[in-house]
Amino acid sequence: MEKILVLDFGGQYNQLIARRVRDNRVFAEILPYTADIETIRKNKYKGIIFTGGPNSVYDMSSPHYSREILDLGVPVLGICYGCQLISFMEGGEVSTAPVSEYGKIELTINTSPLFDNIPEKSVVWMSHTDYISSVPEGYEVIASTPDCPCAAMQNKRKGIYAVQFHPEVTHSEYGEQVLYNFLYNICHCKGDWVMDSFIDSAVEKLKAQIGDKQVILGLSGGVDSSVAAGLLSRAVGKQITCVFVDQGLMRKDEGDFVEKTFTSLFDMNFVRVNCGEYFLEKLKGVTDPEQKRKIIGTEFFNVFWNEIRKQNGKGYFAQGTIYPDCIESGKGDADVIKTHHNRVKTPDDVEFLGIIEPLADLFKDEVRRVGEKLGIPRELVWRQPFPGPGLGVRIIGEITKEKVKLLQEADAVLRDEMSKNGYESRLSQFFCVLPDVKTVGVMGDHRTYENLIIIRAVTTDDFMTADWAKIPYDILAKVSNRITNECKGINRVVYDITSKPPATVEYE
């Protein structure tokens, strides 16, 4: 399989670059700048992309790399910091720019295989303080902006290209075409990365690895673990046992939906552990959000591993780990951003033959495509992000059985109306929150003093920032009317119009 290396120099868009490459049917993987040259040489990449980064190339504590990488005979594309790094490595000059460029800037290009099918002038996304003040010997300028005389350069003989702007972000009008040109005009890729071939090869690999042994997988009902279960079921059928812990904090009827899906759709062993009452008892009287999270997380794994101990026949343990989990949980010498719940250490007293992570090379959108091809229902494959502690962090204050039921009912109304009105696919995330607030209301001729419900809905590309969603008033009115009429105990509905930042998407 053809592979492109995304060499990460600390850029915030490293995953986005890899995803854009894969969108062009070419497999990309990310390695930190600490990866040694021999590893890169042995992997026989079709091309290498240097990411951006927040540092200056003249700060010797900044990420650098051996100049040898430019002499491997492999095409290279440098982006932003990666562009400046190529200039620095090749003997050019990088200086503090007289005018920093941030945001949308007009770019003027010259003829280059990197810019095929792109107009002479277009808008690109810039984010830099330094710039190339003198190009290295053997390089020529192929693009400029009013304040950046070298917005792109090339050495066609060596197959090295560099752009000061960010082609991977949607704000760059023809950024997708730039990456396409690099992959096909310069790296001469064939485009053999497709989901059908991934499923076939993954199933064969799983069969060979597992043989006649058993596999246990923790099934949360989320996208990743569900697709991993579907893939393993296709590979080894009844040899897989899925353990589903229902802690009582899922959305309305969600536990039943998960059980019905996997017992009817796949040939596997399915174990459901219903422990809602147990969790409510552990959470009794607790109001601090971090303490709630800790209790829910701790008790979930206690219940889960106790069930695994009953099931364990010293086979394999499977996890729904995906590629961003591997990167963010630390890879090589890369910093650990956060350790993910689906990449955890097994208890010392539980022995397995090994860990299986069939989705560890995939991004979330690729996982969804695999799920669709496996026949998993769209409601599950395209399930919205849902916090690990479930509704426990959408109930402000103490969690009780009555509050859980009330929030489940209100949230079900919201989801039903968004689906009916076609807004479900337009929103990145939407849900109800039950704050610890009661308000005065009037129903009929009677005064009420009941619960307030908050509706939260956002749109976003990456969840790093998010805008509150502009849902039409008539749809919000219908939701409010249904919630106050159908959910006994709620007399007021409010809509959150705060973006991220300053707010977060979730409340706790």
Side-chain angles (χ1 to χ4, degrees), residues 381-398:
V381 171
W382 289 95
R383 184 188 190 215
Q384 290 194 348
F386 192 61
L391 298 180
V393 290
R394 292 179 181 172
I395 295 172
I396 313 301
E398 183 181 10

Side-chain angles (χ1 to χ4, degrees), residues 436-449:
D436 195 15
V437 173
K438 290 193 174 184
T439 71
V440 174
V442 177
M443 289 188 174
D445 295 324
H446 302 284
R447 173 188 182 275
T448 63
Y449 191 59

Side-chain angles (χ1 to χ4, degrees), residues 347-366:
D348 292 336
D349 65 323
V350 180
E351 294 182 16
F352 290 103
L353 295 172
I355 306 294
I356 293 175
E357 298 174 327
L359 306 176
D361 286 332
L362 303 186
F363 286 103
K364 179 73 80 175
D365 55 332
E366 294 170 328

Side-chain angles (χ1 to χ4, degrees), residues 258-301:
V258 171
E259 181 174 8
K260 182 179 178 182
T261 298
F262 285 92
T263 54
S264 63
L265 196 62
F266 296 107
D267 182 30
M268 63 168 61
N269 299 304
F270 185 92
V271 178
R272 180 174 178 177
V273 184
N274 291 308
C275 46
E277 295 294 336
Y278 173 80
F279 272 77
L280 287 173
E281 184 61 33
K282 290 290 182 181
L283 291 163
K284 192 172 182 179
V286 178
T287 59
D288 179 75
E290 283 308 308
Q291 192 178 355
K292 285 194 287 187
R293 283 180 177 273
K294 185 175 181 181
I295 290 170
I296 293 169
T298 299
E299 296 308 323
F300 179 90
F301 283 110

Side-chain angles (χ1 to χ4, degrees), residues 8 99 108 243 253 487:
D8 182 18
V99 179
T108 302
V243 176
D253 300 329
C487 305

